Amino acid sequence: MSNVLKKTTGLTGILVAQDPHRLLNILYGKILRALDKLPQDYAYRTTTEKLIRNRAAIVKDNSNVDSIENKIECGQVEELIIQAQNELVLARKMLEYKPWQPLIQQEPKNQWEWPPHK
C-alpha cells in the first residue's frame, strides 16, 4: 500500500504515513519481541501483549486504512504509529528498569497515604 490515500492528517505536525501497514507491522513485532523478555506473569506484559496482538491482527486482516482506524478506534493510522513508537520505548524502559523486582530498601512508612503525614 505505497500510494497515499489522503493529502493531510489534519493534525498539526503529523505528516501522512507513506506505508502505514508495513510500519505498524514492524513496530508491533518489535514491541512483542521486547515484551517476550519480561516475566510471563508481569501485568504490564500480559495487558500490553494482548492489546498489541489484537491490533497486529487487525492490521494484518485489513488492507484498507479506514477499516484499520475504525476497528482499532484510537485515531488515525499516523496516531497509531506514534502510539506504537511510544509503547516500544516504554517496553524497552521496562526491560532496563526491571520494576517487577523487589525494592532495594523498604519504602518509608505512610508513603502511599494521602494526605501526607507530617
Side-chain angles (χ1 to χ4, degrees):
M1 167 129 199
S2 60
N3 56 347
V4 179
L5 298 176
K6 55 186 174 184
K7 294 181 181 184
T8 180
T9 61
L11 303 169
T12 303
I14 301 178
L15 300 175
V16 175
Q18 299 301 314
D19 195 359
H21 286 85
R22 181 179 162 278
L23 190 52
L24 283 171
N25 282 326
I26 289 169
L27 288 168
Y28 290 154
K30 286 182 178 184
I31 293 168
L32 290 171
R33 284 190 297 279
L35 292 174
D36 280 342
K37 297 174 185 173
L38 299 175
Q40 290 248 268
D41 59 342
Y42 185 49
Y44 171 74
R45 175 185 174 167
T46 57
T47 305
T48 306
E49 200 170 40
K50 181 179 175 184
L51 174 75
I52 296 301
R53 288 191 192 283
N54 181 31
R55 287 185 178 192
I58 290 171
V59 171
K60 180 183 173 192
D61 295 341
N62 295 282
S63 60
N64 185 344
V65 171
D66 290 330
S67 177
I68 293 170
E69 293 172 350
N70 290 334
K71 290 184 179 184
I72 293 179
E73 295 181 331
C74 281
Q76 299 179 40
V77 288
E78 292 80 8
E79 293 173 290
L80 296 174
I81 291 167
I82 292 169
Q83 292 168 17
Q85 291 168 335
N86 291 339
E87 197 64 54
L88 179 58
V89 169
L90 178 59
R92 289 176 174 167
K93 288 290 183 189
M94 291 291 194
L95 281 169
E96 179 184 345
Y97 297 147
K98 297 178 175 70
W100 58 86
Q101 292 182 341
L103 296 174
I104 294 173
Q105 63 187 30
Q106 188 64 29
E107 71 272 3
K109 185 179 180 195
N110 299 325
Q111 177 177 343
W112 305 112
E113 300 282 330
W114 188 259
H117 290 84
K118 294 181 182 180

